[in-house]
């Protein structure tokens, strides 16, 4: 397997994040979530955070589970595979995306905005550091799910 480069993985994430910002902007525009949290109640902030986390998880899970890659990964010529080089199964993708996309939001909801956000940020930093220094470029979410990001052929 030829692992995807760190730069391509980063670029893919940026593309995916921009897509999510557009989706969240639409949801905010129609009143489903509140992106500008100033003045909102903590309950509304929590509800918006949960919805945003569900949308992010859904985006990453659905594209990866059914197409093997998100739009960002496709644009960068990458895909997610299992140890045998096959498309990762639904269970593996669910685990990967829960850890990679939703864990920070879940921790924030459980522990509250202050400590939860800090712990969520630490998880995110750990994922990035692991990708940067792991020879197979696996983040925590990849290691736990036994998945790899490789060049698509």
């Amino acid at each position: 397997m030829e692992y995807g480069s760190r730069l391509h993985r980063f670029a893919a994430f940026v593309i995916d994040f921009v897509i999510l910002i557009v989706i969240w902007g639409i949801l905010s525009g129609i009143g489903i979530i509140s992106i500008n949290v100033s003045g909102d109640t903590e309950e509304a902030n929590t509800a918006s955070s949960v919805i945003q986390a569900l949308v992010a998880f859904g985006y990453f899970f659905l594209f990866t589970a059914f197409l093997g890659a998100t739009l960002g990964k496709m644009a960068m010529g990458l895909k997610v595979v299992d140890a045998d080089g096959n498309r990762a199964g639904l269970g593996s993708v669910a685990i990967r995306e829960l850890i990679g996309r939703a864990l920070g939001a879940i921790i924030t909801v459980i522990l509250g905005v202050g400590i939860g956000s800090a712990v969520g940020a630490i998880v995110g930093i750990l994922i990035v550091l692991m990708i940067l220094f792991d020879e197979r470029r696996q983040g925590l979410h990849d290691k736990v799910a036994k998945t790899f990001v490789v060049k698509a052929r």
Side-chain angles (χ1 to χ4, degrees):
M1 284 190 282
E2 188 175 355
Y3 304 114
S5 77
R6 292 166 183 91
L7 183 59
H8 284 125
R9 283 191 74 164
F10 176 74
F13 180 77
V14 169
I15 292 166
D16 290 329
F17 192 69
V18 168
I19 291 167
L20 283 172
I21 289 172
V22 170
I23 294 169
W24 292 330
I26 292 167
L27 293 176
S28 177
I30 60 177
I32 294 176
I33 64 170
S34 173
I35 292 177
N36 183 357
V37 294
S38 62
D40 288 346
T41 66
E42 185 173 326
E43 183 177 307
N45 291 338
T46 300
S48 287
S49 294
V50 169
I51 292 169
Q52 286 176 279
L54 288 172
V55 168
F57 172 79
Y59 170 83
F60 282 94
F61 173 77
L62 292 171
F63 274 100
T64 304
F66 296 105
L67 299 176
T70 60
L71 295 174
K73 282 185 183 66
M74 287 180 212
M76 297 310 301
L78 303 172
K79 64 181 178 177
V80 177
V81 299
D82 64 15
D84 296 323
N86 300 314
R87 184 181 310 163
L90 292 178
S92 294
V93 172
I95 290 167
R96 179 183 195 275
E97 301 310 336
L98 275 172
I99 292 170
R101 315 301 163 207
L103 185 61
I106 292 167
I107 292 169
T108 299
V109 169
I110 293 169
L111 299 178
V113 174
I115 187 107
S117 295
V119 173
I122 290 168
V123 170
I125 291 167
L126 179 62
I127 288 171
V128 170
L129 288 174
M130 289 177 76
I131 291 168
L132 288 174
F133 296 106
D134 185 82
E135 67 183 34
R136 297 184 295 182
R137 301 175 191 133
Q138 287 180 293
L140 175 66
H141 59 314
D142 291 310
K143 287 195 179 291
V144 172
K146 298 180 175 115
T147 58
F148 302 88
V149 176
V150 298
K151 289 187 178 181
R153 298 188 186 225

